[in-house]
Amino acid sequence: MSGPGPHVQAWRVTFAGLCATLVGIGLARFAYTPLLPVLITEGWFPASQAAYLGAANLAGYLGGALCARPLARRGGAPRVLRGMMALVTVAFCACALPLSFAWFFLWRFAAGVAGGALMVLAASTVLPHVPPARRGLAGGAIFTGVGLGIMASGTVVPLLLQAGLVETWCGLGVLSLLLTALAWGGWPATEPPPPGAPRRAPTAVPLLALYVAYALNATGLVPHMVFLVDFVARGLGQGIHAGARYWVLFGLGAVVGPMLAGALADRIGFGPALRLALVIQALAVALPTVTADPLWLAVSSLVVGAAVPGVVPLVLGRVHELVPGDAEGQRAAWSVTTMAFALGQAAGAYGLSFLFASGRGYTTLFAAGAAALTLGLVIDLAARLAGRKPI
């Protein structure tokens, strides 16, 4: 009896990839944002410690990005993907026990490790098993899982919170378990043939600038990713439900971001599209520093939400432009860009958490994020001129 046809197989592996990003990034990272003010008001942790717990997940993401490929070489990517999704489920359940700051830090860090590994491995495991003509659509669907997870965290978390914080963590664990089970059999049974001897990615000026710009892009997104709901709920005094509404808008933007970014790049090229995205992001992140008007806060939430997963296909496409005709060089460069993004997130999260804990206001956090994005744009433009590369 023959196995499933290529289109069915492509759908199954793509769905597994979507579940992986939904669990590892959409829920494991972003469900914490609407929980942050509640952890503080319910007395689980003071504000300074709660902010550092959010940063712990981003630090773990860096560790996961670093260890993903070595783990996959030793145990196989499908096995690692299943294990990391299961780790997120365990971390959610462990957080239902408010034993200590160290306990929470450990499990938030572990969830970040799982998210980083899932981000690195999911697309690279899935796409070789998708027909070439469908890989763009499949890639967009995989990264759409991030937005779906954000929307789920903005709608499901407030409902769960009506039962209590312990029940909320357990509910997220059950949801993660369900998605892990749905994806379990969808990962490919066989992996593509391993590449030949690895070669170092080129160290051209534009490529090095891309690493730095992508890291700064990650830093610029941290204020919204970690502090948006707390800013609305406590900073503006509007409460957790109002904060959750903006988080739903953030998630809605994240759902459509990858598709919109890909369509833009098809029209104007990946380099110009990335530069335009940096400009738009800087303006959107800066908006809360100048206005608390609900309409503009909604625009800021939508745009930055779209940028979180939307910038990923732009940078991936830019890597392919800068490393043409070298599949292994492209993989190596993409690995470095992923780690650069993780490093930028971790540095930004801890730096902004330090500012927040030292008494700086929310305006300082958003201003710092906008400055990081602007600096990333300046570096990319300067490298283009210095390298004299076509856009």
Side-chain angles (χ1 to χ4, degrees), residues 329-376:
Q330 290 167 355
R331 280 190 287 268
W334 175 240
S335 179
V336 175
T337 54
T338 302
M339 288 185 281
F341 190 87
L343 183 60
Q345 277 189 139
Y350 278 97
L352 294 179
S353 295
F354 174 78
L355 291 176
F356 185 70
S358 65
R360 303 295 178 92
Y362 294 96
T363 299
T364 301
L365 307 181
F366 291 109
L373 287 158
T374 302
L375 180 58

Side-chain angles (χ1 to χ4, degrees), residues 124-182:
S124 61
T125 300
V126 166
L127 292 181
H129 297 272
V130 176
R134 294 174 176 264
R135 286 180 184 172
L137 181 62
I142 291 168
F143 293 119
T144 296
V146 177
L148 293 175
I150 295 171
M151 287 195 68
S153 71
T155 53
V156 174
V157 168
L159 292 175
L160 291 173
L161 282 172
Q162 296 178 12
L165 266 174
V166 171
E167 292 78 6
T168 299
W169 286 111
C170 291
L172 289 170
V174 171
L175 179 57
S176 177
L177 178 63
L178 175 61
L179 291 166
T180 301
L182 289 173

Side-chain angles (χ1 to χ4, degrees), residues 224 228 232 243 245-254 284-285 287-288 294-308:
H224 278 69
L228 174 63
V232 174
R245 286 196 294 271
Y246 286 102
W247 194 243
V248 172
L249 290 174
F250 187 96
L252 179 61
V285 171
L287 273 175
L295 175 61
W296 289 113
L297 288 181
V299 170
S300 178
S301 300
L302 276 167
V303 172
V304 179
V308 170

Side-chain angles (χ1 to χ4, degrees), residues 61 119 143 206-218 221 257-258 260-266 269-278 281 306-324 329-342 373 376-377 380:
Y61 182 88
M119 190 66 169
F143 293 119
L207 188 57
L208 291 174
L210 180 64
Y211 299 153
V212 177
Y214 198 34
L216 289 167
N217 197 143
L221 295 172
L260 291 178
L264 177 64
D266 285 340
F270 286 100
L274 179 59
R275 294 179 196 113
L276 179 60
L278 286 166
Q281 288 176 83
V308 170
V311 74
V312 178
L314 294 182
V315 173
L316 180 58
R318 186 62 175 152
V319 166
H320 283 235
E321 286 182 344
L322 295 174
V323 192
Q330 290 167 355
R331 280 190 287 268
W334 175 240
S335 179
V336 175
T337 54
T338 302
M339 288 185 281
F341 190 87
L373 287 158
L377 174 64
D380 186 80

Side-chain angles (χ1 to χ4, degrees), residues 63 104 140 191 243:
F104 248 77
E191 299 184 58

Side-chain angles (χ1 to χ4, degrees), residues 49-74:
Q49 288 187 351
Y52 278 113
L53 289 171
N57 183 264
L58 300 184
Y61 182 88
L62 174 59
L66 287 169
C67 72
R69 293 184 69 183
L71 287 175
R73 284 194 295 268
R74 292 174 64 89

Side-chain angles (χ1 to χ4, degrees), residues 1-15:
M1 188 173 182
S2 62
H7 295 304
V8 175
Q9 172 71 359
W11 180 88
R12 289 180 62 188
V13 296
T14 300
F15 179 72

